Amino acid sequence: MIAAPVDDADVPRYWRELGLPGLVDVHVHFLPERVQAKVWDYFGRARDHYGTAAWPITYRLPVEERLAVLEQLGVRAFSTLPYPHKPGMAAWLNEWSHEFAQGRPQVLQSATFYPEPDAAGYVADALDRGARVFKVHVQVGAFDPRDRLLDDVWARLQETGTPVVIHCGSGPLAGEHTGPEPMAGLLQRFPRLQLVIAHLGMPEYRDFLDLAERYERVHLDTTMFATDFTERGSNAFDRAELPRLSDLRDKVLLGSDFPSIPYAYAHQLEALHRLGLGEEWLRAVLWGNGARLFELET
């Protein structure tokens, strides 16, 4: 029986023993330096924002060192997931993300959008320039994903089948438009959207499992899921739902939230391992599903 990784140095041994060529992580962030610093400062005040334990940033490192960490871990493909918190921000985040991806074949070029009149235009531009995945953060952006300003955006993304990683659950902080109801409404109008529900919809796991079962293209990512940090209190996953998660094997994708995680990367893999869903499930989640979604070569 394969043993869970004990630390980051042990991660390559783990995926090799599973028979994988590496890992695909759909939930990684690389942001402009000033934006990244503000995000880290926000997490540094986690007690104030969330009323929870401190949130140390394990990989608060310069860009090249962060890239080297991912390479050493064996993360063969990863997103960079920019996200705006106000109008007029998304287009330049997309430009930065485009430039960041150049010359880095391991990067899944990422983009974002916000409900504003020019959203459809700059989303089309991002797609034309090679964007492969989009990021939406409903709580940080404080907008309803059903906003009519986004109708053309969702229609285009549904048409192209481009994955959208969307933080829409109410954890770690609820917002006016978080939770399953807005997403259910969005999917009623755009049922073929290729959505990736971040954090498995934490803490409304059951409702987001429902959506993944109901809609062919709805996926779930494992970001911070089942880790010691998130299993405390209201974010805990009901183990009675494990059979459903097992049945959804082909719709679950590895996500980590690297670099802004309060533990080692290996702990995310350990947390998934100890769910006891088996090696085939792990192989699908850690590589197979992401490789298929992004048409990666093995």
Side-chain angles (χ1 to χ4, degrees):
M1 180 179 294
I2 296 172
V6 297
D7 54 27
D8 282 3
D10 193 36
V11 166
R13 184 275 309 168
Y14 181 65
W15 53 255
R16 287 192 184 104
E17 290 189 3
L18 283 170
L20 301 177
L23 305 171
V24 180
D25 191 334
V26 303
H27 200 130
V28 169
H29 294 283
F30 279 88
L31 303 169
E33 185 175 352
R34 287 186 297 174
V35 177
Q36 186 69 80
K38 289 180 179 179
V39 170
W40 284 341
D41 289 345
Y42 182 91
F43 285 124
R45 301 190 301 276
R47 293 185 191 276
D48 297 332
H49 297 304
Y50 306 132
T52 59
W55 191 310
I57 306 299
T58 303
Y59 302 99
R60 190 164 187 159
L61 302 166
V63 167
E64 293 303 323
E65 292 183 32
R66 277 180 270 147
L67 290 169
V69 169
L70 290 171
E71 183 176 2
Q72 291 158 11
L73 289 165
V75 181
R76 303 302 182 211
F78 56 89
S79 57
T80 57
L81 301 191
Y83 54 95
H85 62 271
K86 61 184 180 180
M89 191 175 179
W92 71 263
L93 282 173
N94 292 350
E95 179 64 28
W96 186 92
S97 298
H98 170 77
E99 292 300 323
F100 184 83
Q102 302 311 297
R104 295 185 170 112
Q106 73 275 37
V107 172
L108 301 169
Q109 185 178 320
S110 306
T112 189
F113 52 88
Y114 192 88
E116 50 195 339
D118 58 342
Y122 63 67
V123 164
D125 288 344
L127 288 168
D128 289 344
R129 301 182 74 191
R132 302 175 70 184
V133 58
F134 283 74
K135 165 71 173 185
V136 173
H137 202 309
V138 172
Q139 182 263 316
V140 170
F143 63 85
D144 191 325
R146 298 166 295 185
D147 192 309
R148 292 293 178 176
L149 285 169
L150 293 177
D151 281 0
D152 289 344
V153 169
W154 292 124
R156 179 67 185 275
L157 293 173
Q158 178 173 252
E159 177 189 0
T160 59
T162 306
V164 181
V165 177
I166 183 163
H167 184 137
C168 50
S170 300
L173 196 65
E176 181 181 355
H177 305 293
T178 61
E181 183 179 349
M183 299 311 301
L186 177 66
L187 285 162
Q188 286 174 3
R189 290 164 50 201
F190 300 98
R192 297 281 295 164
L193 280 172
Q194 194 100 255
L195 296 183
V196 179
I197 307 299
H199 306 274
L200 231 115
M202 180 192 313
E204 294 108 341
Y205 301 111
R206 183 177 293 109
D207 295 314
F208 285 106
L209 287 168
D210 288 345
L211 291 179
E213 290 169 342
R214 188 177 311 148
Y215 292 96
E216 179 186 357
R217 288 180 161 187
V218 172
H219 297 71
L220 307 160
D221 87 27
T222 67
T223 304
M224 302 189 78
F225 171 66
T227 60
D228 294 346
F229 189 80
T230 55
E231 281 293 281
R232 297 187 289 247
S234 60
N235 289 323
F237 180 74
D238 183 355
R239 292 312 196 257
E241 301 293 339
L242 280 175
R244 298 176 70 195
L245 190 61
S246 178
D247 290 343
L248 287 166
R249 180 184 72 185
D250 294 336
K251 304 185 82 175
V252 182
L253 302 158
L254 174 64
S256 67
D257 238 348
F258 179 93
S260 303
I261 45 178
Y263 43 74
Y265 192 98
H267 179 56
Q268 179 67 80
L269 305 182
E270 177 200 8
L272 298 176
H273 182 98
R274 68 191 182 193
L275 292 173
L277 296 179
E279 292 178 11
E280 287 301 315
W281 189 87
L282 288 166
R283 279 190 275 270
V285 171
L286 302 186
W287 175 267
N289 297 338
R292 183 180 65 253
L293 190 63
F294 293 103
E295 300 179 341
L296 304 178
E297 296 181 2
T298 57

